[in-house]
Amino acid sequence: MTTATAIVAGHGLALRRSLPLPNPPGRPTSVSLSARSLPHARQRMIVPASRPCRSRCLSISSENSIAASAAADTAEEEADPESYVDEEVEEEVDTQAEVCYLDPDADPEAIREWELDFCSRPILDERGKKVWELVVCDATLSLQFTRYFPNNAINSVTLRDALASVSEALGVPMPDRVRFFRSQMQTIITRACGELGVKAVPSRRCVSLLLWLEERYEAVYRRHPGFQAGTRPLLALDNPFPTTLPENLFGDKWAFVQLPFSAVREEVESLERRYAFGAGLDLDLLGFEIDDSTLVPGVAVESSRAKPLAAWMNGLEICAMEADTGRASLILSAGVSTRYIYSGYQKTPAATQEAEAWEAAKKACGGLHFLAIQENLNSDGCVGFWLLLDLPPPPV
């Protein structure tokens, strides 16, 4: 056994103990870490109130209850006239209205990626059939759009025309890429996007969309007159058994590591200029309330071919990593339904305890974790850095 120090992007992370873990090629390294409890609450997103949708709309419907509850939670705002406006808006929520919103401060030309969901909702129409809905947004929620459809109009042509209407109604160009997270809709979405010259990307890195759907379930769907309680999602998310990792994705070593939340934020803010490979998350939008000194768990991977490895990983739409103590393996999730056994380790009580501690630390940070690829675990920088987040499947 040996000891080492892993340096992630210039921040020293002391590996207090290392274990040899069998995984070709090389002998991966693991590290024990202590899970730290902390108060954590994700702030709910606040969006404008509902108004009729018009050409180049700058309004959004049905989520105003969030703004009203935020006003009610703040005692000092009770005397503020705006808080009374929010409360009045909540009473006037039209759950059947559609959303058409563009942040007036946003640059339309800068919105080059959309997130999309096209699926049935737990709502019945006048025919007693499930209503379908298109939900579109960008990662910052500067763009938000919804439209309902009858279940007998679900095809790629309907979706293509609806996506084109988003661009026309809001005065924004068609995006370069559209992410979606339901594998069952891949054929329809890919065909519709292809006819518009847009690349369809299957990915669970639709964090803003997933959180918005969660909010719409409470603020809109449950209040809709056609809501059907207890209805299961028609298109549930896949969670297949993990498969063998392709050879080109193997690293030489890996280690459980930790990084202060303040340093994680710095890495995300400097991601574009510092690394050629990686992906961040909008921590402000997600509303994480974590102390700057709180240690965020992650996985550091060492490779003698770090750049090619990072390039391959960059095309996978990595969304999460998991320590599976039952299989004594590290699981990498990517795309919408891909899971790889990234590494195995010796199933000993000590190794199991380390893996459980890493998962507990991740849970204490609200599911936040990261993956860093380095040329050497003792180096002072990364070739790639991915900020990851565990999210439960949406209720719809």
Side-chain angles (χ1 to χ4, degrees), residues 101-314:
Y101 170 78
L102 178 67
D103 187 338
D105 295 327
D107 177 7
E109 298 295 330
I111 302 176
R112 305 309 306 167
E113 295 186 356
W114 293 357
E115 299 176 5
L116 174 157
D117 185 41
F118 191 40
C119 189
S120 66
R121 300 298 182 237
I123 298 170
L124 299 184
D125 60 18
E126 62 277 1
R127 302 173 300 132
K129 304 297 184 180
K130 272 192 174 183
V131 172
W132 279 61
E133 183 186 41
L134 170 65
V135 176
V136 178
C137 67
D138 72 322
T140 66
L141 289 178
S142 297
L143 179 151
Q144 303 177 29
F145 183 94
T146 71
R147 179 172 292 174
Y148 291 121
F149 295 91
N151 71 333
N152 58 1
I154 307 306
N155 53 58
S156 61
V157 175
T158 296
L159 179 58
R160 179 200 65 195
D161 294 344
L163 291 176
S165 72
V166 176
S167 175
E168 295 170 2
L170 295 175
V172 298
M174 292 301 299
D176 299 324
R177 294 152 52 96
V178 167
R179 286 187 172 89
F180 65 94
F181 63 87
R182 297 190 199 270
S183 60
Q184 301 92 334
M185 297 300 295
Q186 182 162 351
T187 299
I188 288 179
I189 293 175
T190 301
R191 182 174 299 169
C193 289
E195 293 181 5
L196 294 170
V198 176
K199 182 178 181 180
V201 181
S203 173
R204 291 196 188 183
R205 291 191 67 89
C206 304
V207 177
S208 298
L209 176 62
L210 292 168
L211 294 178
W212 189 22
L213 286 174
E214 182 181 337
E215 290 196 356
R216 284 185 61 78
Y217 181 79
E218 297 295 334
V220 180
Y221 310 142
R222 289 177 61 90
R223 301 183 183 188
H224 194 284
F227 176 70
Q228 298 295 298
T231 303
R232 294 185 176 183
L234 175 64
L235 304 178
L237 300 189
D238 294 332
N239 191 34
F241 287 107
T243 59
T244 302
L245 187 73
E247 290 187 6
N248 59 314
L249 299 180
F250 275 117
D252 300 330
K253 298 179 182 178
W254 65 270
F256 285 139
V257 294
Q258 307 171 97
L259 197 60
F261 181 68
S262 58
V264 169
R265 185 180 290 276
E266 290 176 7
E267 297 306 319
V268 172
E269 291 174 351
S270 62
L271 190 60
E272 291 186 1
R273 71 172 184 271
R274 183 176 295 182
Y275 310 130
F277 310 108
L281 296 171
D282 192 330
L283 295 173
D284 293 329
L285 179 67
L286 296 177
F288 276 99
E289 295 181 350
I290 301 178
D291 186 80
D292 283 349
S293 61
T294 298
L295 297 177
V296 177
V299 172
V301 176
E302 174 185 315
S303 175
S304 58
R305 51 185 188 87
K307 288 184 179 180
L309 175 60
W312 278 103
M313 297 285 277
N314 208 47

Side-chain angles (χ1 to χ4, degrees), residues 43 70 99 120 145 338 354 364:
Q43 299 174 348
V99 176
S120 66
F145 183 94
T338 300
E354 292 176 357

Side-chain angles (χ1 to χ4, degrees), residues 68-127:
S69 62
D73 291 340
T74 309
E76 60 268 25
E77 291 182 0
E78 291 181 352
D80 187 346
E82 293 185 0
S83 65
Y84 293 110
V85 172
D86 285 339
E87 291 174 0
E88 292 175 0
V89 169
E90 181 179 12
E91 296 176 358
E92 299 173 359
V93 168
D94 182 357
T95 58
Q96 301 181 60
E98 297 177 332
V99 176
C100 189
Y101 170 78
L102 178 67
D103 187 338
D105 295 327
D107 177 7
E109 298 295 330
I111 302 176
R112 305 309 306 167
E113 295 186 356
W114 293 357
E115 299 176 5
L116 174 157
D117 185 41
F118 191 40
C119 189
S120 66
R121 300 298 182 237
I123 298 170
L124 299 184
D125 60 18
E126 62 277 1
R127 302 173 300 132

